Amino acid sequence: MNLLIKNAKIIDDTSSHHLLTKDILIENGVLSKIEDSIENTSNYETLKLENLHVSQGWFDSSVCLGEPGFEDRETLENGLNTAGKSGFTSIAMNPNSKPVFNDNAQIFSVKSKTQHHAVNLKPIGALTVNSDGVDLAELYDMQQAGTIAFYDYKKPISNPNLLKIALQYTKHLEGFVYSHPLEQKISGNGVMNEEKLSTMLGLAGSPNLAEAMQVARDLFLLEYTKGKLHIPTISTRESIDLIREAKIKGLQVTCSVAIHNLFFTDEMLHDFDTKYKVNPPLRTQQDIDALLEGLSNGTIDYITSDHNPLTIEDKNVEFEHASYGTIGLESAFGALNTLFSTEIAIKLLTRGKKHYQIESFSIEVGEKANLTLFNPDEDYLFDKSCVFSKSKNSIFLDHDLTGRAYGIISNNQIILGK
């Protein structure tokens, strides 16, 4: 691909051009010139966009795509196009398909179908067979096929001995174990955060304790095994305290937070709107404040959209019976850029790559073109016209956001959303 990008402000603190507005020439997928002004002597395609900014390509560590088995929710092709239009050059795909990804043939299949796409798909394999929580899946074979981690999506590992064995087994594999932070016997039938509001609304609550107990148990097992553990989408101040202590001890633990858990509190549930039903549930402002502090001091390693497409039938029912989840790729940048400065938002969208051994490319001459294109200053109402996903279950619908992705340049291809 040959392309001349005009008047782009570069946001990349690893680059000598950081915060400078430059023309960027891409030849055969490589950055060949970065200068104040570049003449288009070769008559290449020219890209000019309003208030154009560029950064290294973004990464999301928790994305569901549906296919195979749930193509009514989302397909691989449209899901990857959605990621690209939303600014992501790499995503990690959860194994909650049908069948669940729990052997090397399934991993080979999804990688083969997506290998030529602009968005780099990294499959996560199931930790246990069919994600049933009973027997370990073919972890080594899946890792050889290209799996980057092992996770029974949103399913807690109730058997502590199973997690112990998994941590021991994966110590010398490149992939690592995810453990969903929820003690189900404490959470029970809880469908929202357990606080005064849950009592007022008459909804069963899931307390902070249900998350913290599971995190504490998992960290004890991690300390015993000396393995590698990722705790996805934490939501409570207690979890942050536990993980901070574990990191001080030198344990190999990482954690993430879903963007919507930084943006909304449980107060959004007054009208029983099922778009706000997520797992973990929306918590209190005190929890959000602790999460934001955890991001700033490095206790929380990275963010995720926790993108989970669901059909109208999954959501348009009574609150207690609605499915958990929201799409989040399209709103990820706008939400983060509303909460943080643009530079911090970009760091949060890129710093998870190193944990998954995804190569980063600085915006310098000679580097591979792996770029996200965006406008950080556009204010808009996030509505269905902003949604590229096949499913429309966005928690951010009808909320004001600031900043919108234009698309990506990756794998010698360009994807634009507007």
Side-chain angles (χ1 to χ4, degrees):
M1 180 185 71
N2 300 314
L3 179 70
L4 176 59
I5 302 173
K6 299 293 291 185
N7 298 320
K9 185 172 182 179
I10 296 170
I11 308 296
D12 178 8
D13 60 9
T14 70
S15 169
S16 60
H17 308 290
H18 181 48
L19 300 181
L20 300 178
T21 298
K22 299 285 186 178
D23 287 359
I24 303 172
L25 183 63
I26 300 172
E27 295 182 293
N28 298 318
V30 175
L31 307 181
S32 61
K33 289 183 181 180
I34 303 176
E35 299 176 2
D36 292 338
S37 180
I38 299 174
E39 292 293 327
N40 193 2
T41 57
S42 299
N43 198 30
Y44 292 150
E45 179 183 354
T46 300
L47 181 66
K48 295 181 180 180
L49 296 169
E50 182 180 356
N51 192 33
L52 176 60
H53 288 56
V54 300
S55 72
Q56 292 188 28
W58 303 342
F59 168 67
D60 194 331
S61 63
S62 180
V63 175
C64 303
L65 293 185
E67 185 181 350
F70 298 110
E71 287 84 356
D72 55 332
R73 300 177 185 176
E74 189 57 280
T75 63
L76 288 172
E77 180 69 18
N78 190 67
L80 290 177
N81 287 338
T82 295
K85 292 174 182 179
S86 304
F88 293 89
T89 59
S90 298
I91 61 169
M93 177 182 171
N94 291 309
N96 62 329
S97 55
K98 187 176 182 180
V100 169
F101 296 153
N102 55 201
D103 62 43
N104 61 352
Q106 292 163 318
I107 300 300
F108 275 125
S109 176
V110 72
K111 285 181 69 68
S112 176
K113 288 180 180 179
T114 61
Q115 62 181 328
H116 299 301
H117 201 278
V119 177
N120 184 23
L121 185 145
K122 297 289 187 178
I124 299 172
L127 182 67
T128 64
V129 176
N130 299 321
S131 291
D132 288 336
V134 178
D135 299 308
L136 287 182
E138 298 175 7
L139 306 188
Y140 176 78
D141 287 348
M142 285 193 291
Q143 190 262 315
Q144 293 295 105
T147 290
I148 57 172
F150 310 101
Y151 182 26
D152 292 343
Y153 181 68
K154 300 294 184 183
K155 294 183 177 181
I157 305 168
S158 59
N159 181 349
N161 191 53
L162 183 67
L163 178 58
K164 177 181 75 72
I165 294 170
L167 289 169
Q168 290 172 326
Y169 186 81
T170 56
K171 281 173 66 172
H172 304 295
L173 297 183
E174 291 184 5
F176 50 90
V177 173
Y178 280 49
S179 180
H180 186 63
L182 182 68
E183 169 45 67
Q184 286 182 307
K185 290 183 180 179
I186 295 293
S187 179
N189 295 319
V191 294
M192 67 170 291
N193 183 49
E194 183 179 270
E195 274 284 344
K196 292 180 182 179
L197 183 59
S198 61
T199 302
M200 290 173 55
L201 297 177
L203 294 174
S206 178
N208 284 25
L209 177 66
E211 179 174 297
M213 282 188 67
Q214 190 82 348
V215 170
R217 185 209 71 171
D218 291 353
L219 291 174
F220 272 118
L221 292 170
L222 179 64
E223 185 170 13
Y224 177 79
T225 60
K226 309 299 182 188
K228 298 171 291 186
L229 179 67
H230 177 65
I231 303 174
T233 59
I234 63 170
S235 65
T236 69
R237 56 192 182 277
E238 293 89 349
S239 295
I240 295 170
D241 291 339
L242 290 165
I243 293 168
R244 183 185 300 113
E245 293 173 7
K247 289 189 171 188
I248 291 172
K249 289 181 180 179
L251 302 186
Q252 294 187 75
V253 59
T254 57
C255 65
S256 65
V257 60
I259 296 170
H260 48 263
N261 282 104
L262 300 170
F263 206 94
F264 300 109
T265 70
D266 56 359
E267 292 292 327
M268 303 305 297
L269 298 180
H270 275 287
D271 294 328
F272 301 92
D273 190 334
T274 60
K275 73 181 181 183
Y276 298 109
K277 186 177 181 182
V278 289
N279 179 11
L282 302 177
R283 303 287 187 182
T284 67
Q285 188 61 50
Q286 290 95 331
D287 291 303
I288 289 180
D289 291 342
L291 292 169
L292 293 172
E293 182 182 356
L295 277 172
S296 66
N297 64 29
T299 301
I300 301 176
D301 297 275
Y302 41 90
I303 55 85
T304 174
S305 71
D306 203 21
H307 181 84
N308 187 11
L310 297 169
T311 64
I312 293 175
E313 291 78 13
D314 294 317
K315 282 291 190 178
N316 194 18
V317 294
E318 295 86 352
F319 194 90
E320 293 93 329
H321 302 297
S323 297
Y324 295 96
T326 174
I327 57 173
L329 288 169
E330 299 97 316
S331 54
F333 175 64
L336 283 175
N337 195 57
T338 302
L339 293 171
F340 302 98
S341 71
T342 298
E343 286 187 65
I344 292 176
I346 298 306
K347 285 183 179 179
L348 294 176
L349 288 162
T350 55
R351 75 184 190 188
K353 289 193 283 188
K354 65 181 180 180
H355 296 291
Y356 294 81
Q357 298 183 348
I358 295 172
E359 190 173 4
S360 294
F361 299 94
S362 181
I363 303 178
E364 295 282 4
V365 171
E367 291 280 358
K368 184 178 178 181
N370 185 265
L371 305 173
T372 295
L373 317 173
F374 59 97
N375 178 354
D377 300 324
E378 182 178 352
D379 297 319
Y380 61 103
L381 179 72
F382 188 88
D383 58 23
K384 287 188 177 180
S385 70
C386 304
V387 176
F388 306 114
S389 299
K390 190 173 180 180
S391 295
K392 310 302 178 186
N393 58 306
S394 174
I395 197 171
F396 286 97
L397 283 174
D398 302 319
H399 289 276
D400 292 320
L401 300 180
T402 299
R404 193 196 296 261
Y406 284 122
I408 62 169
I409 296 171
S410 175
N411 293 336
N412 219 9
Q413 301 171 61
I414 183 169
I415 294 180
L416 295 176
K418 58 172 292 188

